[in-house]
């Protein structure tokens, strides 16, 4: 658990200011006070969908190296038909990436988790069940989703220190959960809107059009919608790797790009049952 002390973020400051302003406005017109409070609620809800603002809490969405570096990240796996092929593509380019995995998929394919680590890549926590509505749930549900996924990975010898929320949406209750577990929240700032490899046509074009220094690039190691789409997926992945190099960008581990540790090693026999009570 982290010993990090409570920190003040824009949402806290804005909240205090709104309460003061609403209190003063009440004497002018009660409706004005209600309007100010409602505006604050709307602002907080909007901030959930734009975590890069850091309005609700600390979110890392890009690097700060000011160098021609980017980091590749793959979400939602591992998958038996996709992950190993992507690992092979990365090996050929001598590229190290980060795989944000779900707990349920890690349990299905523990050998793939071991293979990702063996090949020198980093592993992040992408929640246990990858529920797209997770950020609409209460703090206890968030605690269990983050903790259970972390325990699954710890049982496999991996201590995932970075959490990426499903679909990139955050919740004010997420940050105390991560702070207590000594974890960081990492999202992305370059994506193709591929809907988890369901829209792979011109995937490379959409990524390469946006890619720039210090980007955290979001890709997926999930299977495409149809089996016959696999050849196109591999081609698009090859184009992305080649295109990033042609743009003069160097693909580095996420930890190098953001200057923070993403995952570490724990004994395979370790298993903390704290979240399974």
């Amino acid at each position: 658990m982290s010993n990090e002390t409570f920190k003040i973020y824009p949402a806290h400051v804005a909240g205090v200011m709104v309460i003061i302003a609403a209190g003063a406005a009440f004497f002018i017109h009660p409706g004005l006070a209600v309007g100010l409070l409602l505006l604050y609620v709307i602002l907080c809800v909007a901030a959930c969908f734009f975590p890069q603002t850091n309005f609700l809490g600390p979110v890392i969405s890009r690097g700060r190296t000011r160098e021609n570096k980017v980091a590749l990240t793959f979400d939602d796996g591992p998958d038996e038909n996709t992950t190993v092929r992507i690992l092979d593509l990365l090996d050929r380019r001598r590229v190290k990436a980060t795989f944000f995995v779900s707990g349920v998929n890690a349990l299905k394919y523990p050998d793939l988790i071991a293979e990702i680590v063996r090949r020198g890549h980093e592993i992040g926590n992408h929640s246990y069940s990858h529920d797209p509505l997770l950020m609409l749930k209460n703090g206890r549900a968030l605690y269990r989703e983050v903790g259970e996924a972390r325990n699954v990975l710890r049982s496999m010898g991996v201590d995932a220190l970075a959490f990426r929320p499903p679909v990139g949406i955050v919740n004010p209750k997420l940050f105390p959960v991560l702070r207590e577990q000594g974890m960081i929240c990492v999202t992305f700032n370059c994506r193709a809107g591929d809907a988890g490899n369901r829209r792979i046509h011109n995937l490379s074009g959409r990524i390469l059009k946006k890619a720039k220094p210090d980007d955290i690039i979001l890709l997926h190691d999930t299977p495409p919608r149809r089996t016959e789409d696999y050849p196109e997926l591999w081609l698009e992945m090859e184009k992305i790797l080649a295109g990033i190099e042609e743009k003069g960008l160097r693909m580095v581990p996420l930890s190098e790009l953001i200057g923070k540790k993403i995952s570490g090693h724990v004994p395979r026999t370790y298993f903390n049952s704290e979240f399974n009570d």
Side-chain angles (χ1 to χ4, degrees):
M1 300 300 177
S2 173
N3 293 321
E4 182 182 349
T5 57
F6 177 78
K7 291 185 177 181
I8 296 176
Y9 291 96
H12 303 131
V13 177
V16 172
M17 293 176 64
V18 166
I19 290 173
I20 294 173
F26 181 82
F27 295 100
I28 300 173
H29 193 289
L32 180 58
V34 172
L36 287 171
L37 294 173
L38 180 60
L39 179 62
Y40 177 70
V41 171
I42 293 173
L43 186 61
C44 288
V45 171
C48 294
F49 296 90
F50 298 95
Q52 66 273 17
T53 63
N54 286 313
F55 185 76
L56 299 173
V59 178
I60 299 172
S61 59
R62 61 177 294 112
R64 295 181 179 178
T65 67
R66 296 184 180 180
E67 299 177 12
N68 290 331
K69 298 177 179 179
V70 298
L72 298 184
T73 63
F74 293 86
D75 281 12
D76 300 357
D79 174 76
E80 60 180 346
N81 296 316
T82 310
T83 302
V84 172
R85 182 64 181 268
I86 288 175
L87 290 173
D88 291 341
L89 293 175
L90 294 173
D91 280 353
R92 286 202 287 272
R93 295 275 178 179
R94 297 182 179 180
V95 171
K96 301 303 179 186
T98 299
F99 292 79
F100 283 92
V101 305
S102 69
V104 290
N105 283 338
L107 281 174
K108 285 175 65 177
Y109 306 113
D111 290 345
L112 289 180
I113 297 297
E115 186 66 10
I116 291 170
V117 174
R118 188 186 71 80
R119 299 202 195 192
H121 302 283
E122 298 170 332
I123 291 181
N125 182 326
H126 200 34
S127 79
Y128 181 78
S129 63
H130 194 268
D131 180 358
L133 301 179
L134 176 60
M135 291 302 146
L136 299 179
K137 298 184 178 180
N138 59 32
R140 182 175 178 81
L142 294 177
Y143 193 86
R144 291 188 64 85
E145 280 283 324
V146 174
E148 287 180 3
R150 192 175 187 190
N151 279 338
V152 166
L153 292 172
R154 279 177 166 177
S155 73
M156 298 174 184
V158 177
D159 190 12
L161 303 172
F163 176 76
R164 174 172 287 171
V167 301
I169 299 173
V170 297
N171 177 322
K173 297 174 183 177
L174 172 65
F175 301 102
V177 169
L178 297 182
R179 185 167 58 246
E180 186 174 345
Q181 298 190 44
M183 299 177 68
I184 59 174
C185 183
V186 181
T187 56
F188 45 82
N189 69 314
C190 182
R191 65 187 302 180
D194 60 359
N197 285 337
R198 293 180 179 84
R199 295 180 60 245
I200 59 175
H201 181 68
N202 196 36
L203 174 64
S204 59
R206 298 196 301 274
I207 288 291
L208 296 174
K209 182 180 179 180
K210 302 176 182 178
K212 58 188 181 302
D214 272 329
D215 275 358
I216 299 175
I217 299 173
L218 170 64
L219 298 168
H220 293 87
D221 58 333
T222 47
R225 181 177 300 172
R226 304 176 303 173
T227 302
E228 55 265 35
D229 289 336
Y230 271 111
E232 184 176 9
L233 176 61
W234 307 141
L235 179 61
E236 291 298 314
M237 290 291 180
E238 287 272 22
K239 287 181 177 179
I240 289 171
L241 297 176
I244 288 174
E245 291 181 349
E246 290 170 3
K247 294 186 72 166
L249 299 171
R250 186 159 66 92
M251 292 167 277
V252 301
L254 180 59
S255 58
E256 179 178 335
L257 192 77
I258 68 174
K260 291 184 179 294
K261 194 172 183 179
I262 300 300
S263 57
H265 174 76
V266 294
R268 289 184 63 88
T269 55
Y270 175 86
F271 187 79
N272 182 351
S273 61
E274 176 180 355
F275 301 98
N276 293 323
D277 293 340

